[in-house]
Amino acid sequence: MVKIVGIAGSLRPDSYSYQALMQAVQRVQALGAEVEILDLRKMNLPFCDGGEEYPDYPDVEKLRAAVKQADGIILATPEYHGSVSGVLKNALDLMSFEQLSGKVAGLISVLGGQSNSNALNDLRIIMRWVHGWVIPEQIAVGQAWKAFGQEGKLLDEKLAQRFDQFAQSLVENTIKLRG
């Protein structure tokens, strides 16, 4: 089966991005994929300075190794000022073609206001630039404060169905491209 790495680009303790990531992860696991979550809230990553070596930051190597060994990746980001969060962009900048090229990516954005595709479009550009393959299904969770209930459960059945389709597409396309 396939191995997927999940990364949420928020540092907030009760992050809606992390809750959305977990919704996707549960569904991908139910389809038989192995999943590793890299929790940026618990990792010590420096600001990317364009260098290749970060000897004082072992979590950089942990990030790079996990993504390099994975077949696919789920990226979940809050939308800040109309784009990807700085923490997720920094994590992606700490990697290169060696880790990201050929990876199948599923993209999720979480917004406080109305749903849109700004952060998702920016993530598509980033992943295309490093030769990743982004699945057509993407999820933008608008008004996130109303989307999740107790323990991160989705309250909207249509949104839950979109997460199902997202997971199915990610696993199927990862198998196709890996094969």
Side-chain angles (χ1 to χ4, degrees):
M1 191 37 83
V2 296
K3 180 174 182 180
I4 305 292
V5 167
I7 302 173
S10 174
L11 299 179
R12 289 182 52 205
D14 297 324
S15 164
Y16 292 122
S17 298
Y18 189 81
Q19 291 178 46
L21 174 65
M22 294 311 298
Q23 288 294 318
V25 163
Q26 291 166 5
R27 287 162 170 79
V28 167
Q29 287 174 323
L31 295 170
E34 176 187 341
V35 180
E36 178 179 359
I37 297 169
L38 296 175
D39 191 341
L40 299 180
R41 298 174 297 186
K42 297 178 181 174
M43 297 179 79
N44 184 18
L45 299 174
F47 284 114
C48 179
D49 65 8
E52 292 183 25
E53 302 293 325
Y54 296 89
D56 296 332
Y57 297 92
D59 283 343
V60 172
E61 188 51 41
K62 178 182 176 183
L63 171 73
R64 290 174 174 175
V67 172
K68 184 176 181 177
Q69 293 168 6
D71 300 304
I73 187 169
I74 301 170
L75 300 174
T77 186
E79 184 165 310
Y80 293 148
H81 302 299
S83 190
V84 177
S85 73
V87 69
L88 182 57
K89 178 67 165 80
N90 187 63
L92 292 168
D93 288 345
L94 287 166
M95 294 183 277
S96 68
F97 293 97
E98 182 180 350
Q99 292 82 33
L100 296 164
S101 181
K103 297 297 181 245
V104 178
L107 310 178
I108 302 169
S109 69
V110 175
L111 303 95
Q114 293 299 314
S115 163
N116 69 59
S117 299
N118 293 336
L120 296 169
N121 289 336
D122 289 346
L123 279 174
R124 280 184 181 283
I125 291 167
I126 293 166
M127 290 307 296
R128 183 174 59 232
W129 191 260
V130 293
H131 301 169
W133 296 90
V134 179
I135 63 172
E137 293 76 13
Q138 60 186 18
I139 299 172
V141 180
Q143 298 180 336
W145 46 274
K146 293 195 311 189
F148 299 96
Q150 294 278 332
E151 299 173 19
K153 182 175 173 16
L154 289 170
L155 300 176
D156 182 343
E157 184 57 36
K158 287 183 181 179
L159 183 57
Q161 290 172 359
R162 290 190 47 226
F163 271 92
D164 292 340
Q165 294 163 350
F166 173 93
Q168 188 73 37
S169 178
L170 182 63
V171 171
E172 286 177 0
N173 284 296
T174 302
I175 290 169
K176 286 177 190 175
L177 285 169
R178 194 179 122 210

